[in-house]
Amino acid sequence: MRLLLRAGAHRPVPGGVEVAASPDTPRREAWQWHVRVLEGRSGHGEEQADVERLTLSLPRSGGLPAVLEVSCDPDAAAARAEVVISGEPVTLERDVHEVTVLVVGQGGVRVEGRHLLHELDAMVLEGDDPLRPELERVGEEPTSVAVVRLRSTASQPISWVP
């Protein structure tokens, strides 16, 4: 499964936007994880007990980087993230058991030769479609894409329902 999320559709949260979360609405199954983009160098994330959190700087157009924040319930999910900055096409290797969230920090990126993403657009990939997505820069502007990989820490595979 793949789902394209445009920048204007993200849910506002204090200090930024929530790009994706599981669950994505209140009053469903137990909270597992979320991916947010927070303005500023240190972010303004909500403090929660028993949450594993990772943050990284996401270069953005116009100067100041944003903070990409990934928070997980350690009993449900674990995350790792990196920022890919490239002028050449990059092929990602995904595992069928992970949920991958791509978030564009700056520039334009074409995913799989057909999905055009711009600043703060995102794509969520789950399952085996696709396992080897290719990212290519569109235009001459510098490009940054955060790649967040989420895996289950429980006996059941992690999933995401939009």
Side-chain angles (χ1 to χ4, degrees):
M1 176 202 69
R2 74 190 93 188
L3 183 64
L4 177 60
L5 304 168
R6 294 292 179 199
H10 302 322
R11 185 172 75 92
V13 295
V17 294
E18 184 170 81
V19 175
S22 180
D24 67 343
T25 60
R27 296 183 300 271
R28 280 171 99 183
E29 69 275 5
W31 175 83
Q32 296 178 345
W33 56 268
H34 68 240
V35 176
R36 294 178 174 174
V37 176
L38 305 173
E39 299 300 325
R41 294 189 184 277
S42 62
H44 307 88
E46 304 163 5
E47 292 301 319
Q48 294 173 269
D50 300 326
V51 170
E52 289 188 9
R53 177 173 286 122
L54 69 89
T55 60
L56 60 96
S57 179
L58 180 62
R60 297 266 313 270
S61 299
L64 280 180
V67 172
L68 181 84
E69 176 189 81
V70 182
S71 297
C72 299
D73 173 348
D75 293 330
R80 59 189 173 103
E82 65 181 320
V83 175
V84 177
I85 302 174
S86 178
E88 298 298 319
V90 173
T91 301
L92 301 176
E93 298 286 336
R94 294 186 53 251
D95 185 288
V96 71
H97 299 293
E98 73 182 17
V99 172
T100 304
V101 182
L102 308 174
V103 182
V104 177
Q106 67 182 355
V109 176
R110 190 174 315 278
V111 180
E112 299 183 290
R114 58 183 165 166
H115 305 289
L116 184 59
L117 283 68
H118 294 287
E119 189 168 323
L120 289 189
D121 287 346
M123 181 170 277
V124 180
L125 305 168
E126 179 189 10
D128 63 356
D129 184 27
L131 287 177
R132 299 189 74 226
E134 183 174 89
L135 312 179
E136 62 182 298
R137 182 175 75 177
V138 175
E140 298 300 317
E141 184 179 358
T143 300
S144 67
V145 180
V147 179
V148 179
R149 298 170 187 274
L150 297 149
R151 292 190 62 89
S152 175
T153 57
S155 60
Q156 296 181 346
I158 193 168
S159 63
W160 184 66
V161 179

